[in-house]
Amino acid sequence: MKIRGKLLTGYFLVALLTAVVGWFGMRIVNTVSEEFKRQAEDEIPLGRSLQELKYAGLRIVSSTVEYGFLWQQGDRELFQGELAEEKKLIAEGVSSYYKALGRYEKDLMRHHHGVRDRGHDRINESGEALIETAAAIVSALEKSRPARQLVELKEKNEKAERQFLQAIERESRENASDFAEIKQFTYRTMQGALQNIVMVTGATFALALLSGMVISASFSRRLRTLQNAVRKMGEGDLKAAIHIGPDDEIGALAESFQGMAQALHRSTHEIIAGKDYFSEVIHSMMDALIVVSPDGAIQQVNGAACAMLGYDDEPVGRPLKEVLPDCSLEELVNRGYLSDEERTLVARDGRKIPVALSISIIWNPDNSMRSLVCVAHDITGRKEWEAMQRRYNRELKDSNDELRGFVYTISHDLRTPLVNIRGFAGELVDNLKELAAVLEEAMPHVGEAAGVRMAEIVRSEVPEALHFITDSVRKMDGMLSSVLRLSHLGQRKMTVEPVNVSELVNGIRARLGKTIDGAEVEVIIGDLPDLETDRAALEEIMGGLLDNAVKYRAPGRRARIEVSAENSDEGWLFHVRDNGIGISEEDIGKIFDPFRRAGQQESTGEGMGLAYVRALVKQCHGRIWCSSEVGTGSTFSFTIGEEWLTTAWGGRV
């Protein structure tokens, strides 16, 4: 017989006997459970109903006593609310009593199969007496009965209370006694069932043991032969032969072990060759490789590590702390994994080498650490470049600060003489008026030709010169203010907040309403995103571009301005298109420079609007450019850097 058949026979016998044991056990347990469940369903609700009756009776008594106490205080108007509340509590106690009594009678009828017992009558009689005496006490108090009658009613109430509690207690003891008898019956039944189960289980165990001995004896000899051969293979003798006949599963297993040993012998040679190959790969790495044992000693390094640390021979056996002093082995093991973290290695000659360190742990099958693998990339060049970049940034910041200070100083120093010029020009205007009056008086005493010339100078030439001076001062002051504003834009603190760009552009359009409506300008606003960016900066950018498009509209045709946006590699890309006069190709390069205006100018301004816009776009980490064709229109495009915004519009970021 095959091993499978023998095992199946033994399993069948054990399963059959187990089923017999289970059947007997289930039958006994079901009998006990059904009886216990039936009794528990009666006894437990019955006890709960008795407790509810007891609490309802005590509630009537306590509320009646409290009512009598409040009534005897004398000033009934003062305690009118408390008296009404206690009377209400007495009524609620009576209601709770009758509800509990109804549940108790229902549970009692089920427990005694429709027959009431003497205990129920005792509870009912004493409860009714308790309610009647409580009602009598309340009535006597309200009707101001004599004290002697109140004392008699109080004694009756106390007697009724004692009888009620005694009836409840007696019935509770009888229920507890019944439940104890049920538990004793259950215990005896379970003891009998346990004895039966032990007997059947013992018989099952003996039969199973006998079956196992018979089955195991049939193939234990050949298994020992197979065990001895496998032990030799485990000791390294992969060529050991296994002589077992192939007439059953053990024979097939022996053949499989023989084939596995031969394949393992071939794989051993392949593993040795692969180990040599990987060793060559490790030593050819450009980054330093250090393998550390669980006790913190260096197990293996590659050539790059020796060259970096200045060792002629591999520093095997040295503690890792010598080459990596700024972190302990416990720290690395606790973290478990590092990826390109900046650390410092110490070379043999004491040099400190900045590296990007990555580590990983190799675990044994039992979850103990086998080794710690460290890969270090020398970042000395990168650290030198970063230091140089920080120095250049500091120098650039210092230069920018000096430039802002210079602009502020120059603007302030130039504004002072402008104020003086404006003031003295005003003085000259006033003096000129006085001179004109004096000239009128002196005209009869001056020659005709001289008088005409003096009048021409006073009334025409000098006022015109003063007007030119005043106008130039105003323009110069405006230019200085523009320079100051442009310099202040670089120092402006950006505040990031959620911005609905569509609402923002519509708000700008509303503010330009009179200008746009008067010029018959059509403004088309496309789908614009919701951003998190600086609202004031974006509002000034959009406002400047829309105002610019309105100013430079083409005469003779209805102006059209379109605002749109799209997602790009640089972040959100916005477009403001118009069909205005356009900009020539040679002027496009200078329109964003301060005080530069392209083409023939028919509108007022200082040429600073687009300079402001470019400065604000740069602050938002973006860029701005223009494409245009004379006579057709212009398109101003700008980006808002991704680091300055997030969006949920269209599911794109």
Side-chain angles (χ1 to χ4, degrees), residues 466-523:
L466 288 173
H467 174 73
F468 286 146
I469 292 172
T470 304
D471 190 56
S472 298
V473 168
R474 181 185 58 77
K475 289 182 179 179
M476 187 65 180
D477 185 64
M479 293 175 69
L480 291 175
S481 298
S482 299
V483 170
L484 276 176
R485 183 187 176 197
L486 186 62
S487 67
H488 288 160
L489 285 178
Q491 305 174 19
R492 181 178 176 275
K493 183 180 179 181
M494 305 293 281
T495 303
V496 179
E497 60 180 301
V499 179
N500 185 312
V501 183
S502 295
E503 292 182 359
L504 183 141
V505 175
N506 278 304
I508 297 172
R509 195 241 181 265
R511 287 196 296 274
L512 296 175
K514 292 184 179 180
T515 304
I516 291 174
D517 296 339
E520 296 185 352
V521 178
E522 180 185 7
V523 179

Side-chain angles (χ1 to χ4, degrees), residues 124-167:
N124 190 24
E125 291 171 1
S126 58
E128 290 293 337
L130 186 65
I131 294 171
E132 289 174 1
T133 56
I137 289 172
V138 172
S139 176
L141 288 171
E142 291 177 348
K143 295 179 180 180
S144 301
R145 298 296 187 190
R148 181 177 56 78
Q149 185 177 354
L150 289 173
V151 170
E152 292 176 356
L153 290 173
K154 181 176 180 296
E155 291 175 351
K156 289 181 179 180
N157 183 259
E158 291 175 350
K159 180 180 179 181
E161 178 187 359
R162 287 192 301 272
Q163 291 176 349
F164 177 75
L165 293 177
Q166 289 171 359

